[in-house]
Amino acid sequence: MEDGDKNEKCLFAMRILGIFVGLTLIGYGIAMLFVGSGQNIKSYIANVYLVCFGILIILAELRLGFLLRYFKFLRNGFGLGGFYIFVGFMALSSDWWCYIILGVCCAVGIMYCGSACICNDPLDETGKKRNEVPQSAAA
C-alpha cells in the first residue's frame, strides 16, 4: 500500500468520525434543550451553541467552499483540531456521558493537529508547503 493511499484512508476515517461527532453534538444539544437538568438561560444558550457548532463541524468535514471562505481557521489541521478541542470542553457538564463527548472531541482534535504536524497538513487547500518562500519574496 502506498503512503499517499494510506494517508487518504486515514483522513477519510477522520472525516467520518468528525461527521459522527457533529451529529452527536447536534443530538446532545437538542436533547438537552428539552430535558436538560439545569433549565436556566445559560444552559439554553450553551446547548444552542452546541447545535450550531455541530452543524459547523459537519459542514467543515464536507469541505464546503463557501463555509471555508468565511471560517478560514477550519481550512487546516491546526484550526480544525483546535475547534474540536474547544467544542469538546464546551460540552462538559455534570453528566457522565459528557466526558465521553469530551474524550472523542479531543481525540479527533489531537489527531487533526498531529496530522498537521507530521504530514504536510493534508487539509491545507492553499497548496503551499509550510516552509516554502513565496516567489515574490525570493526575487
Side-chain angles (χ1 to χ4, degrees):
M1 185 183 300
E2 290 183 20
D3 199 32
D5 188 39
K6 193 174 172 182
N7 289 340
E8 289 294 322
K9 286 184 179 181
C10 182
L11 186 61
F12 179 75
M14 285 178 20
R15 286 187 189 210
I16 295 297
L17 184 61
I19 291 172
F20 174 73
V21 167
L23 290 172
T24 302
L25 288 170
I26 292 169
Y28 172 74
I30 290 173
M32 289 296 113
L33 280 173
F34 297 110
V35 296
S37 51
Q39 296 294 336
N40 56 23
I41 192 73
K42 181 181 173 186
S43 65
Y44 280 121
I45 292 171
N47 290 323
V48 168
Y49 270 113
L50 282 178
V51 171
C52 293
F53 288 159
I55 292 169
L56 188 61
I57 283 175
I58 291 172
L59 294 176
E61 292 294 349
L62 295 176
R63 310 306 288 167
L64 298 177
F66 73 91
L67 175 86
L68 297 177
R69 183 176 39 229
Y70 296 109
F71 297 98
K72 293 184 181 185
F73 66 95
L74 298 176
R75 285 185 182 177
N76 60 29
F78 284 117
L80 190 58
F83 185 66
Y84 270 105
I85 293 169
F86 167 75
V87 171
F89 277 104
M90 190 177 161
L92 271 181
S93 70
S94 61
D95 299 320
W96 64 269
W97 59 81
C98 294
Y99 295 105
I100 296 172
I101 294 173
L102 170 69
V104 172
C105 282
C106 286
V108 173
I110 289 169
M111 284 191 292
Y112 271 120
C113 289
S115 71
C117 286
I118 296 171
C119 305
N120 189 16
D121 199 359
L123 294 180
D124 191 15
E125 295 171 351
T126 60
K128 298 177 190 171
K129 297 204 178 358
R130 213 175 301 161
N131 296 327
E132 188 175 281
V133 177
Q135 289 189 5
S136 61

